[in-house]
Amino acid sequence: MITVRYAGARDAEALIALLKSLVAEPGINIPLAPDEVTLTLEQERELIARVTDSPHGAMFVAADEHGAIVGELSVKAISTRRAVAHVATIGMSVAANHRRRGIGEQLLREAIAWADDNDFLRLELYVYARNAAAIALYEKLGFAIEGKRVAFIREGDAFVDDYVMARLSGAARAG
């Protein structure tokens, strides 16, 4: 059984460990190298506090029946400027041995509900064009591909495309 809840300072160590495990995976769809994960425990706690203390963002974790963090999602406003204050971006990851079990969907549904409750009309995310499973999940929850960023991510000598996807709330679609 998976529980999705707001992240807290107590999750900092587990979130760093999750990120380190993700970036160590061969072919992972995260544009980050293992040696680029340099957050200290204190920095991660500060990051969690900044997000959770702000009305402009939220961070969720998915915990298994033993309390281990197996997924995370952050959602945050792209700006507090009035013209774009209704737009938030999402970043999400799920541990390799817990994928394709509905955890990503649970996290996304929490983020969508939070965004709706906080008057965000547009949610955006970026996804590797090769990540068919993630794209299918996003589309299932109302996200649509709006554009492709060609050769956006560098992997050694190769370049990878990604998609910009967005979901509009009912109020935004009606406007």
Side-chain angles (χ1 to χ4, degrees):
M1 179 171 146
I2 299 297
T3 303
V4 173
R5 60 172 172 76
Y6 286 103
R10 70 184 186 273
D11 300 315
E13 188 172 358
L15 286 167
I16 292 171
L18 175 62
L19 182 58
K20 285 181 178 181
S21 73
L22 292 167
V23 299
E25 287 180 43
I28 187 65
N29 294 313
I30 296 175
L32 192 62
D35 64 340
E36 294 176 312
V37 180
T38 60
L39 278 174
T40 66
L41 200 53
E42 188 55 37
Q43 288 170 324
E44 181 69 13
R45 285 184 183 127
E46 288 172 9
L47 186 143
I48 293 167
R50 269 196 315 274
V51 172
T52 57
D53 291 345
S54 167
H56 307 292
M59 183 181 287
F60 299 96
V61 294
D64 68 12
E65 61 276 4
H66 307 291
I69 303 300
V70 297
E72 60 79 29
L73 181 147
S74 63
V75 56
K76 49 191 157 196
I78 63 167
S79 175
T80 56
R81 293 181 180 171
R82 285 187 300 271
V84 291
H86 64 285
V87 182
T89 59
I90 290 176
M92 178 176 72
S93 60
V94 175
N97 58 345
H98 285 80
R99 292 184 192 135
R100 291 179 177 68
R101 296 184 186 179
I103 296 169
E105 183 172 345
Q106 284 180 260
L107 285 163
L108 275 170
R109 287 189 186 282
E110 284 291 327
I112 290 167
W114 178 89
D116 287 347
D117 289 346
N118 287 277
D119 298 322
F120 285 95
L121 302 180
R122 177 184 171 86
L123 292 177
E124 295 180 345
L125 56 84
Y126 312 102
V127 59
Y128 280 57
R130 67 185 180 206
N131 194 345
I135 292 165
L137 171 61
Y138 301 144
E139 289 176 335
K140 175 182 177 181
L141 295 181
F143 288 81
I145 295 172
E146 293 188 335
K148 179 190 237 183
R149 300 187 301 182
V150 177
F152 188 74
I153 299 134
R154 181 181 210 139
E155 291 184 338
D157 294 332
F159 292 89
V160 180
D161 301 341
D162 80 353
Y163 291 129
V164 176
M165 297 185 75
R167 178 187 187 279
L168 300 178
S169 73
R173 284 191 293 271

